[in-house]
Structure formats: structure tokens, C-alpha cells
Coordinates of all heavy atoms in Angstrom, one line a residue:
M1 N -8.2 9.3 14.8 CA -7.4 9.0 13.6 C -6.3 8.0 13.9 O -5.6 8.1 14.9 CB -6.7 10.4 13.2 CG -6.4 10.4 11.8 SD -5.5 11.9 11.3 CE -6.7 13.2 11.6
L2 N -6.1 7.1 13.0 CA -5.1 6.0 13.2 C -3.7 6.6 12.9 O -3.6 7.5 12.2 CB -5.4 4.8 12.3 CG -6.7 4.0 12.7 CD1 -6.9 2.9 11.7 CD2 -6.6 3.5 14.1
E3 N -2.7 5.9 13.5 CA -1.4 6.3 13.2 C -0.8 5.6 12.0 O -1.1 4.4 11.8 CB -0.5 6.1 14.4 CG -0.9 7.0 15.6 CD 0.0 6.9 16.8 OE1 0.8 5.9 16.8 OE2 -0.1 7.7 17.7
C4 N 0.1 6.3 11.3 CA 0.7 5.7 10.1 C 1.6 4.5 10.6 O 2.2 4.5 11.6 CB 1.6 6.7 9.5 SG 2.6 6.1 8.1
E5 N 1.6 3.5 9.7 CA 2.4 2.3 9.9 C 3.3 2.0 8.8 O 3.9 1.0 8.6 CB 1.5 1.1 10.2 CG 0.9 1.1 11.6 CD -0.1 0.1 11.8 OE1 -0.1 -0.9 11.1 OE2 -0.9 0.2 12.8
T6 N 3.4 3.0 7.9 CA 4.4 2.8 6.7 C 5.5 3.8 6.9 O 6.4 3.6 7.7 CB 3.6 3.0 5.4 OG1 3.1 4.3 5.3 CG2 2.5 2.0 5.3
V7 N 5.6 4.8 6.1 CA 6.8 5.7 6.1 C 6.8 6.7 7.2 O 7.9 7.2 7.6 CB 7.0 6.4 4.7 CG1 7.3 5.3 3.6 CG2 5.8 7.2 4.3
K8 N 5.7 7.2 7.7 CA 5.6 8.2 8.7 C 5.1 7.5 10.0 O 4.2 8.0 10.7 CB 4.7 9.3 8.3 CG 5.2 10.2 7.2 CD 4.2 11.2 6.8 CE 4.6 12.0 5.6 NZ 3.5 12.9 5.1
K9 N 5.7 6.4 10.4 CA 5.3 5.6 11.6 C 5.0 6.5 12.8 O 5.8 7.3 13.2 CB 6.4 4.6 11.9 CG 6.3 3.3 11.1 CD 7.2 2.3 11.7 CE 7.0 0.9 11.1 NZ 7.3 0.8 9.7
G10 N 3.8 6.3 13.4 CA 3.5 7.0 14.6 C 2.8 8.3 14.4 O 2.3 8.9 15.3
T11 N 2.7 8.8 13.1 CA 2.0 10.1 12.9 C 0.6 9.8 12.6 O 0.2 9.0 11.7 CB 2.7 10.7 11.6 OG1 4.1 10.7 11.8 CG2 2.2 12.1 11.4
P12 N -0.3 10.5 13.3 CA -1.8 10.4 13.0 C -2.1 10.7 11.5 O -1.6 11.8 11.0 CB -2.5 11.4 13.9 CG -1.4 11.7 15.0 CD -0.1 11.5 14.3
C13 N -2.8 9.9 10.8 CA -3.0 10.2 9.4 C -4.5 9.7 9.0 O -4.9 8.6 9.3 CB -2.0 9.4 8.6 SG -2.3 9.6 6.8
P14 N -5.2 10.6 8.2 CA -6.5 10.3 7.8 C -6.6 9.1 6.8 O -7.6 8.5 6.6 CB -7.0 11.6 7.2 CG -5.8 12.4 6.8 CD -4.7 12.0 7.8
F15 N -5.5 8.8 6.2 CA -5.4 7.7 5.2 C -5.2 6.4 5.8 O -5.4 5.3 5.2 CB -4.4 8.0 4.1 CG -4.6 9.1 3.2 CD1 -4.0 10.3 3.4 CD2 -5.6 9.0 2.2 CE1 -4.2 11.4 2.6 CE2 -5.8 10.1 1.4 CZ -5.2 11.3 1.6
M16 N -4.9 6.3 7.1 CA -4.6 5.0 7.7 C -5.9 4.4 8.1 O -6.8 5.0 8.7 CB -3.7 5.3 9.0 CG -3.0 4.0 9.4 SD -1.9 3.5 8.1 CE -1.7 1.8 8.5
T17 N -6.0 3.1 7.8 CA -7.2 2.3 8.1 C -6.8 1.1 8.8 O -5.6 0.7 8.8 CB -8.0 1.9 6.8 OG1 -7.2 0.9 6.2 CG2 -8.2 3.1 5.9
P18 N -7.7 0.4 9.5 CA -7.3 -0.9 10.1 C -6.7 -1.9 9.2 O -6.0 -2.8 9.6 CB -8.7 -1.4 10.7 CG -9.5 -0.2 10.8 CD -9.1 0.7 9.7
K19 N -7.0 -1.7 7.9 CA -6.4 -2.6 6.9 C -5.1 -2.1 6.3 O -4.5 -2.7 5.4 CB -7.4 -2.8 5.7 CG -8.6 -3.7 6.1 CD -9.5 -3.8 4.9 CE -10.7 -4.6 5.4 NZ -11.8 -4.6 4.3
G20 N -4.6 -0.9 6.8 CA -3.4 -0.4 6.3 C -3.6 1.0 5.6 O -4.7 1.5 5.6
C21 N -2.6 1.5 4.9 CA -2.7 2.8 4.3 C -3.6 2.7 3.1 O -3.4 1.9 2.2 CB -1.3 3.2 3.9 SG -1.2 4.8 3.0
S22 N -4.5 3.7 3.1 CA -5.5 3.7 2.0 C -5.1 4.6 0.9 O -5.8 4.8 -0.1 CB -6.9 4.0 2.5 OG -6.9 5.4 3.0
F23 N -4.0 5.3 1.0 CA -3.6 6.3 0.0 C -3.1 5.5 -1.2 O -2.6 4.4 -1.2 CB -2.4 7.1 0.5 CG -2.0 8.2 -0.4 CD1 -2.9 9.3 -0.7 CD2 -0.8 8.2 -1.1 CE1 -2.6 10.3 -1.6 CE2 -0.4 9.2 -2.0 CZ -1.3 10.2 -2.2
N24 N -3.4 6.1 -2.4 CA -3.0 5.5 -3.6 C -1.5 5.1 -3.7 O -0.7 5.9 -3.6 CB -3.3 6.6 -4.7 CG -3.1 6.0 -6.1 OD1 -3.0 4.8 -6.3 ND2 -3.0 6.9 -7.1
G25 N -1.3 3.8 -3.8 CA 0.1 3.4 -3.8 C 0.5 2.8 -2.4 O 1.5 2.1 -2.3
G26 N -0.3 3.0 -1.4 CA -0.1 2.4 -0.1 C 0.9 3.1 0.8 O 1.2 2.6 1.9
S27 N 1.4 4.2 0.4 CA 2.3 5.0 1.3 C 2.5 6.4 0.7 O 2.2 6.7 -0.4 CB 3.6 4.4 1.6 OG 4.4 4.5 0.4
C28 N 3.0 7.3 1.6 CA 3.3 8.7 1.1 C 4.4 8.7 0.0 O 5.2 7.7 0.0 CB 3.8 9.6 2.2 SG 2.5 10.0 3.4
R29 N 4.4 9.7 -0.8 CA 5.5 9.8 -1.8 C 6.6 10.8 -1.3 O 6.2 11.7 -0.5 CB 4.9 10.3 -3.1 CG 3.7 9.5 -3.5 CD 3.9 8.8 -4.8 NE 2.9 7.7 -4.9 CZ 1.7 7.8 -5.4 NH1 1.4 9.0 -5.9 NH2 0.9 6.8 -5.5
V30 N 7.8 10.7 -1.7 CA 8.8 11.6 -1.3 C 8.6 13.0 -2.0 O 7.9 13.1 -2.9 CB 10.3 11.0 -1.7 CG1 10.6 9.8 -0.9 CG2 10.3 10.7 -3.2
I31 N 9.3 13.9 -1.4 CA 9.2 15.3 -1.9 C 9.8 15.4 -3.3 O 10.5 14.6 -3.7 CB 9.9 16.3 -1.0 CG1 11.4 16.0 -0.8 CG2 9.2 16.4 0.4 CD1 12.2 17.2 -0.4
V32 N 9.4 16.5 -4.0 CA 10.0 16.8 -5.3 C 10.9 18.0 -5.2 O 11.0 18.6 -4.2 CB 8.8 17.1 -6.3 CG1 8.0 15.8 -6.6 CG2 8.0 18.2 -5.9
E33 N 11.6 18.2 -6.3 CA 12.7 19.2 -6.4 C 12.2 20.6 -5.9 O 12.8 21.3 -5.2 CB 13.1 19.3 -7.8 CG 14.5 19.9 -8.0 CD 14.8 20.0 -9.5 OE1 14.6 18.9 -10.2 OE2 15.3 21.0 -10.0
Q34 N 10.9 20.9 -6.3 CA 10.4 22.3 -6.0 C 10.2 22.5 -4.5 O 10.0 23.6 -4.0 CB 9.0 22.5 -6.7 CG 9.1 22.5 -8.2 CD 8.8 21.2 -8.8 OE1 9.3 20.2 -8.3 NE2 8.0 21.1 -9.9
C35 N 10.1 21.4 -3.7 CA 9.9 21.5 -2.3 C 11.1 21.9 -1.5 O 11.0 22.4 -0.4 CB 9.4 20.1 -1.8 SG 7.9 19.5 -2.4
E36 N 12.3 21.8 -2.1 CA 13.5 22.2 -1.4 C 13.4 23.5 -0.8 O 13.1 24.5 -1.4 CB 14.7 22.2 -2.4 CG 15.1 20.8 -2.9 CD 15.6 19.9 -1.7 OE1 15.9 20.3 -0.6 OE2 15.6 18.6 -2.0
G37 N 13.7 23.6 0.6 CA 13.6 24.8 1.3 C 12.3 25.0 2.1 O 12.2 25.9 2.9
C38 N 11.4 24.2 1.8 CA 10.1 24.3 2.5 C 10.2 23.7 4.0 O 10.8 22.7 4.2 CB 9.0 23.5 1.8 SG 7.4 23.6 2.5
A39 N 9.5 24.4 4.9 CA 9.6 24.0 6.3 C 8.7 22.8 6.6 O 8.8 22.2 7.7 CB 9.2 25.2 7.2
N40 N 8.0 22.4 5.6 CA 7.1 21.2 5.8 C 7.8 19.9 5.5 O 7.2 18.8 5.6 CB 5.8 21.3 5.0 CG 4.9 22.4 5.6 OD1 4.8 22.5 6.8 ND2 4.3 23.2 4.8
I41 N 9.0 20.0 5.1 CA 9.8 18.7 4.7 C 10.2 18.0 6.0 O 10.6 18.7 7.0 CB 11.1 19.0 3.9 CG1 10.7 19.6 2.6 CG2 11.9 17.8 3.8 CD1 11.9 20.1 1.8
I42 N 9.9 16.7 6.1 CA 10.4 16.0 7.3 C 11.3 14.9 6.8 O 11.1 14.3 5.8 CB 9.2 15.3 8.1 CG1 8.2 14.7 7.2 CG2 8.6 16.3 9.0 CD1 7.1 13.9 7.9
E43 N 12.4 14.8 7.5 CA 13.5 13.8 7.1 C 13.3 12.6 8.0 O 13.3 12.7 9.2 CB 14.9 14.4 7.4 CG 15.0 15.8 6.7 CD 16.3 15.9 5.9 OE1 17.0 14.9 5.7 OE2 16.5 17.0 5.3
L44 N 13.1 11.5 7.4 CA 12.9 10.2 8.1 C 13.8 9.2 7.6 O 14.4 9.4 6.5 CB 11.4 9.7 7.8 CG 10.3 10.7 8.3 CD1 9.0 10.2 7.8 CD2 10.3 10.8 9.8
P45 N 14.0 8.1 8.3 CA 15.0 7.1 7.8 C 14.5 6.6 6.5 O 15.3 6.0 5.7 CB 14.9 6.0 8.9 CG 14.3 6.7 10.1 CD 13.5 7.8 9.6
T46 N 13.2 6.7 6.2 CA 12.7 6.1 5.0 C 12.8 7.1 3.8 O 12.5 6.7 2.7 CB 11.2 5.8 5.2 OG1 10.5 6.8 5.9 CG2 11.0 4.5 5.9
G47 N 13.2 8.4 4.1 CA 13.3 9.3 3.0 C 12.8 10.7 3.5 O 12.6 10.9 4.7
R48 N 12.7 11.6 2.5 CA 12.2 13.0 2.9 C 10.8 13.1 2.4 O 10.5 12.9 1.2 CB 13.1 14.0 2.2 CG 14.6 13.9 2.8 CD 15.5 14.7 2.0 NE 15.4 16.1 2.4 CZ 15.6 17.1 1.6 NH1 15.9 16.9 0.4 NH2 15.5 18.4 2.1
Y49 N 9.9 13.5 3.3 CA 8.5 13.6 3.0 C 7.9 15.0 3.4 O 8.6 15.7 4.1 CB 7.7 12.5 3.7 CG 8.1 11.1 3.3 CD1 9.2 10.4 3.9 CD2 7.5 10.5 2.2 CE1 9.6 9.2 3.5 CE2 7.9 9.2 1.8 CZ 8.9 8.6 2.4 OH 9.3 7.4 2.0
C50 N 6.7 15.2 3.0 CA 6.0 16.4 3.4 C 5.1 16.1 4.5 O 4.4 15.1 4.5 CB 5.2 16.9 2.2 SG 4.1 18.3 2.6
R51 N 5.1 17.0 5.6 CA 4.2 16.7 6.7 C 2.7 17.1 6.4 O 1.8 16.7 7.1 CB 4.7 17.4 8.0 CG 4.4 18.8 8.1 CD 4.8 19.4 9.5 NE 6.3 19.7 9.4 CZ 7.2 19.2 10.2 NH1 6.9 18.3 11.1 NH2 8.4 19.6 10.1
K52 N 2.5 17.8 5.3 CA 1.1 18.3 5.0 C 0.5 17.4 3.9 O -0.7 17.4 3.8 CB 1.2 19.7 4.5 CG 1.8 20.7 5.4 CD 0.7 21.2 6.4 CE 1.3 22.3 7.3 NZ 0.4 22.6 8.4
C53 N 1.3 16.9 3.0 CA 0.7 16.3 1.8 C 1.3 14.9 1.5 O 2.5 14.8 1.5 CB 0.9 17.2 0.7 SG 0.5 16.6 -0.9
P54 N 0.5 13.9 1.2 CA 1.1 12.6 0.9 C 1.7 12.5 -0.4 O 2.6 11.6 -0.6 CB -0.1 11.6 1.0 CG -1.3 12.5 0.8 CD -1.0 13.9 1.2
D55 N 1.4 13.4 -1.4 CA 2.0 13.3 -2.7 C 2.4 14.7 -3.2 O 1.7 15.4 -3.8 CB 1.0 12.7 -3.7 CG 1.6 12.5 -5.0 OD1 2.8 12.7 -5.2 OD2 0.9 12.0 -6.0
P56 N 3.6 15.1 -2.8 CA 4.1 16.5 -3.1 C 4.1 16.8 -4.6 O 3.8 17.9 -5.0 CB 5.5 16.5 -2.6 CG 5.5 15.6 -1.4 CD 4.6 14.5 -1.9
S57 N 4.3 15.8 -5.4 CA 4.4 16.1 -6.9 C 3.0 16.6 -7.3 O 2.9 17.4 -8.2 CB 4.8 14.9 -7.7 OG 3.8 13.9 -7.6
A58 N 1.9 16.1 -6.7 CA 0.6 16.5 -7.1 C 0.3 18.0 -6.7 O -0.4 18.7 -7.4 CB -0.5 15.6 -6.4
K59 N 1.0 18.4 -5.6 CA 0.8 19.8 -5.2 C 1.5 20.8 -6.2 O 1.1 22.0 -6.2 CB 1.4 20.1 -3.8 CG 0.8 19.3 -2.7 CD -0.6 19.6 -2.5 CE -0.8 21.0 -1.9 NZ -2.3 21.3 -1.7
W60 N 2.4 20.3 -7.0 CA 3.1 21.2 -7.9 C 2.7 21.0 -9.4 O 3.1 21.7 -10.2 CB 4.6 20.9 -7.8 CG 5.2 21.5 -6.5 CD1 5.4 20.8 -5.4 CD2 5.6 22.8 -6.3 NE1 5.9 21.6 -4.4 CE2 6.1 22.9 -4.9 CE3 5.7 24.0 -7.0 CZ2 6.6 24.0 -4.4 CZ3 6.2 25.1 -6.5 CH2 6.6 25.1 -5.2
R61 N 1.8 20.0 -9.6 CA 1.5 19.6 -11.0 C 0.9 20.8 -11.7 O 1.1 21.0 -12.9 CB 0.5 18.4 -10.9 CG 0.5 17.7 -12.2 CD -0.2 16.3 -12.1 NE 0.7 15.4 -11.3 CZ 0.2 14.5 -10.5 NH1 -1.1 14.4 -10.3 NH2 1.0 13.7 -9.8
F62 N 0.0 21.6 -11.0 CA -0.7 22.7 -11.7 C -0.2 24.0 -11.3 O -1.0 25.0 -11.2 CB -2.2 22.5 -11.6 CG -2.7 21.2 -12.1 CD1 -3.1 20.2 -11.2 CD2 -2.7 20.9 -13.4 CE1 -3.6 19.0 -11.7 CE2 -3.1 19.7 -13.9 CZ -3.5 18.7 -13.0
G63 N 1.0 24.1 -10.9 CA 1.5 25.4 -10.4 C 2.2 25.3 -9.1 O 2.6 24.2 -8.7
R64 N 2.1 26.4 -8.3 CA 2.8 26.4 -7.0 C 2.1 25.7 -5.9 O 0.8 25.8 -5.9 CB 3.0 27.9 -6.7 CG 4.1 28.3 -5.8 CD 4.3 29.7 -5.8 NE 3.0 30.5 -5.8 CZ 2.9 31.8 -6.0 NH1 3.9 32.4 -6.4 NH2 1.8 32.4 -5.9
C65 N 2.8 25.0 -5.1 CA 2.1 24.4 -3.9 C 1.6 25.5 -3.0 O 2.3 26.4 -2.6 CB 3.1 23.5 -3.2 SG 2.5 22.9 -1.6
N66 N 0.3 25.3 -2.6 CA -0.3 26.4 -1.8 C 0.1 26.3 -0.3 O -0.3 27.2 0.4 CB -1.9 26.3 -2.0 CG -2.4 25.0 -1.5 OD1 -1.7 24.0 -1.4 ND2 -3.7 25.0 -1.1
M67 N 0.8 25.3 0.0 CA 1.2 25.2 1.4 C 2.7 25.4 1.6 O 3.3 25.2 2.7 CB 0.8 23.8 2.0 CG -0.7 23.7 2.1 SD -1.2 22.1 2.9 CE -0.7 20.9 1.7
A68 N 3.4 25.7 0.5 CA 4.8 25.9 0.6 C 5.2 27.1 1.5 O 4.5 28.1 1.4 CB 5.4 26.1 -0.8
T69 N 6.2 26.9 2.3 CA 6.6 28.0 3.2 C 7.7 28.8 2.7 O 8.0 29.9 3.1 CB 7.0 27.5 4.6 OG1 8.2 26.6 4.4 CG2 5.9 26.7 5.3
H70 N 8.4 28.3 1.6 CA 9.6 28.9 1.1 C 9.3 29.8 -0.1 O 10.2 30.5 -0.6 CB 10.7 27.9 0.7 CG 10.2 26.9 -0.3 ND1 9.0 26.2 -0.2 CD2 10.8 26.4 -1.4 CE1 8.9 25.4 -1.2 NE2 10.0 25.5 -1.9
I71 N 8.0 29.9 -0.4 CA 7.6 30.8 -1.5 C 6.5 31.7 -1.1 O 5.5 31.2 -0.6 CB 7.2 29.9 -2.8 CG1 8.4 29.2 -3.3 CG2 6.5 30.8 -3.8 CD1 8.1 28.2 -4.4
K72 N 6.7 33.0 -1.2 CA 5.6 33.9 -0.8 C 4.5 34.0 -1.8 O 4.8 34.1 -3.0 CB 6.2 35.3 -0.5 CG 7.3 35.3 0.5 CD 6.7 35.5 1.9 CE 7.7 35.4 3.0 NZ 7.9 34.1 3.6
N73 N 3.3 34.0 -1.4 CA 2.2 34.1 -2.3 C 2.0 35.6 -2.8 O 1.6 35.8 -3.9 CB 0.9 33.7 -1.7 CG 0.9 32.2 -1.6 OD1 1.4 31.5 -2.4 ND2 0.2 31.7 -0.5
N74 N 2.3 36.5 -1.9 CA 2.1 37.9 -2.3 C 3.4 38.6 -2.5 O 4.5 38.1 -2.2 CB 1.3 38.7 -1.2 CG 0.0 37.9 -0.9 OD1 -0.7 37.5 -1.8 ND2 -0.2 37.8 0.4
N75 N 3.4 39.8 -3.1 CA 4.5 40.7 -3.2 C 5.6 40.0 -4.0 O 6.8 40.2 -3.8 CB 5.1 41.1 -1.9 CG 4.0 41.9 -1.1 OD1 3.2 42.6 -1.7 ND2 4.1 41.8 0.2
N76 N 5.3 39.2 -5.0 CA 6.2 38.6 -5.8 C 6.6 39.5 -7.0 O 6.5 39.1 -8.2 CB 5.7 37.2 -6.4 CG 6.4 36.1 -5.7 OD1 7.4 36.3 -5.0 ND2 6.0 34.9 -6.1
K77 N 7.0 40.7 -6.7 CA 7.2 41.7 -7.7 C 8.2 41.3 -8.8 O 8.0 41.5 -9.9 CB 7.6 43.0 -7.1 CG 6.4 43.7 -6.4 CD 6.9 45.0 -5.7 CE 5.7 45.6 -4.9 NZ 6.2 46.6 -4.0
G78 N 9.3 40.7 -8.3 CA 10.3 40.3 -9.3 C 10.0 39.1 -10.1 O 10.7 38.8 -11.1
S79 N 9.0 38.4 -9.7 CA 8.7 37.1 -10.3 C 8.0 37.3 -11.7 O 7.1 38.1 -11.8 CB 7.8 36.3 -9.4 OG 7.4 35.1 -10.2
R80 N 8.5 36.6 -12.7 CA 7.9 36.7 -14.0 C 7.0 35.4 -14.3 O 6.5 35.3 -15.3 CB 9.0 36.8 -15.1 CG 9.5 38.2 -15.1 CD 10.3 38.4 -16.4 NE 11.6 37.7 -16.3 CZ 12.3 37.5 -17.4 NH1 12.0 37.9 -18.6 NH2 13.5 36.8 -17.3
H81 N 6.9 34.6 -13.2 CA 6.1 33.4 -13.4 C 4.6 33.8 -13.4 O 4.1 34.4 -12.4 CB 6.4 32.4 -12.3 CG 5.5 31.2 -12.3 ND1 5.7 30.2 -13.2 CD2 4.3 30.9 -11.7 CE1 4.8 29.3 -13.1 NE2 3.9 29.7 -12.2
I82 N 3.9 33.5 -14.4 CA 2.5 33.8 -14.5 C 1.8 32.4 -14.7 O 2.1 31.7 -15.6 CB 2.2 34.7 -15.7 CG1 2.7 36.1 -15.3 CG2 0.7 34.8 -15.9 CD1 2.8 37.1 -16.5
N83 N 0.8 32.2 -13.9 CA 0.0 31.0 -14.1 C -1.0 31.2 -15.2 O -1.9 32.1 -15.2 CB -0.8 30.7 -12.8 CG -1.6 29.4 -12.9 OD1 -2.0 29.0 -14.0 ND2 -1.9 28.8 -11.7
P84 N -0.8 30.5 -16.4 CA -1.6 30.8 -17.6 C -3.1 30.6 -17.3 O -3.9 31.3 -17.9 CB -1.1 29.8 -18.6 CG -0.2 28.8 -17.8 CD 0.2 29.4 -16.5
L85 N -3.5 29.6 -16.4 CA -4.9 29.4 -16.1 C -5.5 30.6 -15.5 O -6.6 31.1 -15.8 CB -5.0 28.2 -15.3 CG -4.8 26.8 -16.0 CD1 -4.9 25.7 -14.9 CD2 -5.8 26.6 -17.1
K86 N -4.8 31.1 -14.5 CA -5.3 32.3 -13.7 C -5.4 33.5 -14.6 O -6.3 34.3 -14.6 CB -4.4 32.6 -12.5 CG -4.7 31.6 -11.4 CD -3.9 32.0 -10.2 CE -4.1 31.0 -9.0 NZ -3.2 31.2 -8.0
A87 N -4.4 33.7 -15.5 CA -4.3 34.8 -16.4 C -5.5 34.8 -17.3 O -6.2 35.8 -17.6 CB -3.0 34.8 -17.2
A88 N -5.8 33.6 -17.8 CA -7.0 33.4 -18.7 C -8.3 33.7 -18.0 O -9.2 34.4 -18.6 CB -7.0 32.0 -19.3
K89 N -8.4 33.3 -16.8 CA -9.6 33.5 -16.0 C -9.8 35.0 -15.8 O -10.9 35.6 -15.9 CB -9.5 32.8 -14.6 CG -10.1 31.5 -14.6 CD -10.1 30.9 -13.2 CE -10.3 29.5 -13.2 NZ -10.1 28.9 -11.9
R90 N -8.7 35.7 -15.5 CA -8.7 37.1 -15.2 C -9.3 37.8 -16.5 O -10.1 38.7 -16.4 CB -7.3 37.7 -14.9 CG -7.3 38.2 -13.4 CD -5.9 38.6 -13.1 NE -5.2 37.6 -12.4 CZ -3.9 37.3 -12.7 NH1 -3.2 37.8 -13.7 NH2 -3.3 36.3 -12.0
K91 N -8.8 37.4 -17.6 CA -9.2 38.1 -18.9 C -10.7 37.9 -19.1 O -11.4 38.8 -19.6 CB -8.4 37.5 -20.1 CG -7.1 38.2 -20.3 CD -6.5 37.7 -21.6 CE -5.1 38.2 -21.7 NZ -4.4 37.5 -22.8
T92 N -11.2 36.7 -18.9 CA -12.6 36.4 -19.2 C -13.6 36.9 -18.2 O -14.7 37.0 -18.4 CB -12.8 34.8 -19.4 OG1 -12.3 34.2 -18.2 CG2 -12.0 34.3 -20.6
K93 N -13.1 37.1 -17.0 CA -14.0 37.6 -15.9 C -14.6 39.0 -16.2 O -15.8 39.2 -16.1 CB -13.2 37.7 -14.6 CG -13.6 36.6 -13.6 CD -12.9 36.8 -12.3 CE -13.2 35.7 -11.4 NZ -12.5 35.8 -10.1
G94 N -13.8 39.9 -16.7 CA -14.3 41.2 -17.1 C -14.8 42.0 -16.0 O -15.7 42.9 -16.3
R95 N -14.4 41.8 -14.8 CA -14.9 42.6 -13.7 C -14.0 43.8 -13.4 O -12.9 43.7 -13.5 CB -15.0 41.8 -12.4 CG -16.2 41.0 -12.4 CD -16.3 40.4 -11.0 NE -16.9 39.0 -11.1 CZ -16.9 38.2 -10.1 NH1 -16.4 38.4 -9.0 NH2 -17.5 37.0 -10.3
Ligands
SF4_1 S1 4.1 22.0 1.7 FE1 4.2 21.9 -0.6 S2 6.3 22.7 -1.0 FE2 6.2 22.1 1.2 S3 7.1 20.1 1.3 FE3 4.8 19.9 1.2 S4 4.3 19.7 -1.0 FE4 6.5 20.4 -0.9

């Protein structure tokens, strides 16, 4: 795997090619507000990025990021957040 030559210089990355970064836009995107508190945030001179994902906003677009370390997936008893897509699926499954 080639190493990044843009914002995460020196980090092995599957998007790096001999012609440069092949990710949409040519480099990783900075973290979004919902990422605050996640252990996957890396602070670089170029900004704050996610070590797992090149575009954090995409991870939150349809709900919770599945790699977030600051949000528990289970035992969210107090949480009133319901993913409408999942709720709809549960209803139609009928199992
Ligand atoms: S793992 Fe998810 S929540 Fe954590 S920094 Fe990356 S995109 Fe943000």
C-alpha cells in the first residue's frame, strides 16, 4: 500500500496511487461536529482528520458512524434517537 502524500503524509492508504490520491476531491476531508470526542480523530498540521475514514461527513449522513468510539452501540437506554429506516425495516420484517 502506498503512503499518503497529501494531508496524512506517511500514512499507508488504499486510495494512494502512483499518480496521487484517488479519493474523490484528491484528499481526505476534515472531521465533522458529530465526531467530537471520538478516539479516531487525528490532529495534523493540516487539520483534524479521521484515521478510519477519508470523509467523516459521509459516515454520519445516514445516522451514526459505525466506527465512532465515543458513542456506544448497545445499551443506549436513555437515548431517544431512533433511526427511522431501521424502525421501518423492523415493522415490515414481521419476524
Ligand atoms: S470513526 Fe466516525 S466518529 Fe470517529 S472520527 Fe471517524 S468518522 Fe468521526
